[in-house]
Amino acid sequence: MAFSRNQSLFFILTLVLAVLLVNWLQPKEIDMNVSQTRTIVVGGGLAGLSAAHTLIQHGAQVLLLDKKPSLGGNSMKASSGINGAGTEAQSSLGVSDTVEAFTADTTSSAGQLARPDLIHALTSNSAESLSWLSSNFSIDLSLVSLLGGHSVARTHRGRGPPPGFAITSALMKKLDTLPAAEVIKSAHVVRLLEANGRVTGVEYETNGETTSVQANAVIIATGGYAADYAPSGLLAKYRPDLLGLPTTNGDHATGDGHRLASSLHASLIDMDEIQVHPTGFVDPKDEGAKTKFLAAEALRGVGALLVDADGKRFVDEMERRDNVTKAMQEIIEQGKGPIRLLLNADAEKELKSHCDFYVSKGLMKRYENAADFAKDTGVPNAALIQTLAEHNKYASGELKDPFGKIHFHNGQFSPDGVLLASWVVPVVHYTMGGIHTDASARVLSAEGKPIPGLYAAGEVIGGVHGKNRLGGSSLLEAVVFGRLAGAAAAEAK
Ligand SMILES: Cc1cc2nc3c(=O)[nH]c(=O)nc-3n(C[C@H](O)[C@H](O)[C@H](O)COP(=O)(O)OP(=O)(O)OC[C@H]3O[C@@H](n4cnc5c(N)ncnc54)[C@H](O)[C@@H]3O)c2cc1C
């Protein structure tokens, strides 16, 4: 059959277009001029940033990918501080602390799921990691407070902005100035590439395009899954009982790294261990909001009380998060909610920037005295005054607290003094479970063997905190394991 000239031209043109289209749809291969030490970091929260800086300090090139239009993740939201034992700040404040004491507190909090190797990595690297932050990024960590579950004051923050923001933004800013770092935002990593049992790169999607990049190693630092509420999500799979609770986490926290690692048969551990934080703020303008602001642990650290609708205390406010949450849930189940968190003027002064922020957001209200608070909320004034008077006696040592409270800070409440009050509820906050790594941040397979070329750090890893994470230990985990992963990946061949 003979074709006319026009028909032939049309045929050739169609063929060329089809070839171009198929080519365009193929994942792009980027030849990044991969050197022996080019490493990909997936996730730009504190763990990813710590890993990236450490890699560069070891002479490596870094490609950092984050699925969101800006870096920072949940790390930017952290409001209480970062733990360290035996730090300069502690010694200048006269706080005596040791790695052994921090290890003992962490082990006790982790319960029967305590893993000594991971706990040791966390605690023994803590002071050095804090001084790494201060000396490399000029971060102020000079204030130290005591949080629930700790035997001494070891949670550090500075005088300026909240600690998560202060730390994470300092690392972000510096990374921007380093030629060895390339950062691509809105780059959603969807696949790990592998050849001969070794991780060789990733595939990511950005603006509807898929791109493959090669590297000598990949560090997963994608955070946890405390916002993975999808019907097929990790909360539904491991803890369906929590689906009804709100979360403090950003919408990026959907367990992507867990799925990426599992696709290469990495082992996931403790996945049903999820921390419900006792105090998420209920915003009176949007009571049912699924995402809630966290009422920082530091509020209880500076002496906040928790009272029920009858104006009565029901727990040692300085107890561990899991125990405070349990007590609150019992109160709510008994119909004695809402639960309110109360601060006096001394505590307000100590946590001034936090309180100003919460008041400006309408999450905390300032009352001139207890009677004003009682009138506004319906809490019986007489019962509240009695609660405050009793607490004063426990704080002064005149009587023993029936709930076992021994750490009192700003413990004297006058019924005629200022009260700051917030409505608080338990919130899904942190996922203790995650990718199984060894104490050098190498990802382990189901057989317990390191998967060559694959590392993980931050909330995405599992097992560091066992059954319960202590306040301040997650920022620390991000820095410690980020640095361990960076150092180990820099050596990867
Ligand atoms: C409100 C709040 C307050 C907190 N306060 C404290 C505190 O005071 N002290 C403390 O120790 N801990 C605190 N925590 C916990 C702590 O902030 C986090 O656990 C920690 O910051 C996690 O760091 P990360 O780097 O592992 O993850 P994140 O900081 O969450 O970062 C993960 C990053 O990975 C990116 N990512 C995810 N999936 C992909 C993908 N597929 N491709 C590319 N990028 C991806 C995300 O966009 C994100 O930027 C708090 C948490 C919250 C929510």
Side-chain angles (χ1 to χ4, degrees):
M1 189 171 59
F3 289 107
S4 73
R5 190 159 175 270
N6 277 352
Q7 276 174 321
S8 307
L9 264 176
F10 177 75
F11 185 70
I12 290 167
L13 206 64
T14 311
L15 198 69
V16 169
L17 280 174
V19 169
L20 283 175
L21 187 68
V22 167
N23 191 34
W24 183 71
L25 287 174
Q26 286 288 327
K28 303 279 173 301
E29 288 280 344
I30 293 193
D31 174 11
M32 295 196 325
N33 193 15
V34 180
S35 72
Q36 277 294 69
T37 53
R38 177 103 188 203
T39 302
I40 293 172
V41 177
V42 186
L46 186 55
L49 290 164
S50 300
H53 278 287
T54 306
L55 281 158
I56 292 168
Q57 288 173 344
H58 281 74
Q61 303 277 312
V62 173
L63 173 64
L64 188 147
L65 303 167
D66 199 293
K67 70 178 176 180
K68 301 298 278 187
S70 53
L71 304 186
N74 280 333
S75 304
M76 290 292 263
K77 297 175 162 218
S79 44
S80 290
I82 180 165
N83 295 334
T87 64
E88 276 176 34
Q90 283 176 315
S91 74
S92 63
L93 293 167
V95 177
S96 152
D97 193 12
T98 59
V99 168
E100 289 70 32
F102 188 15
T103 302
D105 292 345
T106 307
T107 305
S108 146
S109 170
Q112 71 268 32
L113 291 179
R115 291 184 174 78
D117 58 334
L118 297 180
I119 292 176
H120 179 73
L122 183 82
T123 56
S124 65
N125 286 302
S126 65
E128 210 249 314
S129 289
L130 266 60
S131 88
W132 182 76
L133 289 175
S134 303
S135 56
N136 285 278
F137 308 98
S138 308
I139 297 166
D140 173 19
L141 294 171
S142 57
L143 302 177
V144 184
S145 54
L146 175 74
L147 298 191
H150 292 279
S151 53
V152 298
R154 63 166 72 96
T155 307
H156 296 63
R157 62 177 202 282
R159 286 170 203 285
F165 179 85
I167 299 170
T168 312
S169 56
L171 269 70
M172 277 159 52
K173 266 190 209 138
K174 184 154 180 187
L175 198 68
D176 257 354
T177 67
L178 301 178
E182 183 185 357
V183 176
I184 307 180
K185 296 171 191 165
S186 302
H188 190 157
V189 174
V190 291
R191 204 158 74 87
L192 292 175
L193 305 176
E194 183 228 355
N196 305 321
R198 179 181 183 85
V199 174
T200 56
V202 305
E203 198 171 280
Y204 68 90
E205 291 174 355
T206 186
N207 299 327
E209 238 186 58
T210 304
T211 306
S212 302
V213 265
Q214 302 288 321
N216 71 312
V218 173
I219 298 176
I220 301 179
T222 48
Y225 49 97
D228 194 18
Y229 283 96
S232 59
L234 296 173
L235 288 178
K237 179 168 180 188
Y238 292 102
R239 287 297 300 273
D241 57 311
L242 300 182
L243 286 172
L245 291 187
T247 182
T248 56
N249 278 217
D251 63 4
H252 67 276
T254 47
D256 295 15
H258 304 73
R259 292 188 185 85
L260 291 169
S262 304
S263 72
L264 295 189
H265 310 295
S267 152
L268 301 182
I269 52 173
D270 300 352
M271 290 294 284
D272 55 348
E273 298 298 337
I274 293 178
Q275 182 164 74
V276 177
H277 194 290
T279 58
F281 285 117
V282 177
D283 184 344
K285 295 185 292 303
D286 189 5
E287 289 179 16
K290 193 74 177 165
T291 306
K292 304 232 182 282
F293 263 103
L294 180 74
E297 184 99 354
L299 293 171
R300 284 181 294 127
V302 296
L305 302 186
L306 292 172
V307 297
D308 65 14
D310 298 329
K312 295 193 174 132
R313 287 178 61 238
F314 50 89
V315 70
D316 166 7
E317 291 84 356
M318 290 301 289
E319 257 287 358
R320 282 189 344 228
R321 290 175 180 181
D322 49 350
N323 292 334
V324 178
T325 297
K326 192 160 164 264
M328 285 174 70
Q329 277 167 335
E330 279 165 18
I331 289 291
I332 292 167
E333 273 157 29
Q334 291 162 18
K336 293 199 274 178
I339 292 165
R340 292 200 171 75
L341 178 145
L342 300 178
L343 292 176
N344 60 21
D346 294 333
E348 180 194 18
K349 204 166 143 201
E350 199 168 329
L351 224 51
K352 179 99 179 58
S353 59
H354 284 69
C355 294
D356 287 351
F357 176 74
Y358 299 146
V359 170
S360 76
K361 289 273 169 205
L363 301 169
M364 187 175 264
K365 208 165 163 186
R366 200 167 192 278
Y367 297 94
E368 286 312 312
N369 50 48
D372 281 2
F373 163 74
K375 199 166 151 208
D376 191 34
T377 57
V379 170
N381 193 27
L384 178 68
I385 289 175
Q386 189 184 344
T387 298
L388 300 182
E390 283 168 2
H391 188 267
N392 291 348
K393 289 187 181 153
Y394 308 141
S396 67
E398 193 181 329
L399 286 178
K400 206 161 167 263
D401 178 37
F403 305 107
K405 188 166 173 177
I406 48 167
H407 295 295
F408 292 90
H409 196 68
N410 301 318
Q412 298 297 321
F413 283 75
S414 160
D416 302 323
V418 162
L419 269 189
L420 283 92
S422 302
W423 174 5
V424 288
V425 288
V427 268
V428 177
H429 181 56
Y430 177 86
T431 48
M432 269 86 66
I435 300 173
H436 193 191
T437 66
D438 64 12
S440 305
R442 298 183 299 177
V443 173
L444 301 176
S445 68
E447 294 76 43
K449 299 230 164 61
I451 298 177
L454 190 59
Y455 304 82
E459 189 170 340
V460 75
I461 69 174
V464 177
H465 315 282
K467 289 197 79 62
N468 181 64
R469 172 176 74 81
L470 291 174
S473 277
S474 178
L475 288 181
L476 178 64
E477 166 187 53
V479 179
V480 165
F481 284 88
R483 294 181 68 211
L484 288 169
E491 303 302 320
K493 294 283 179 290

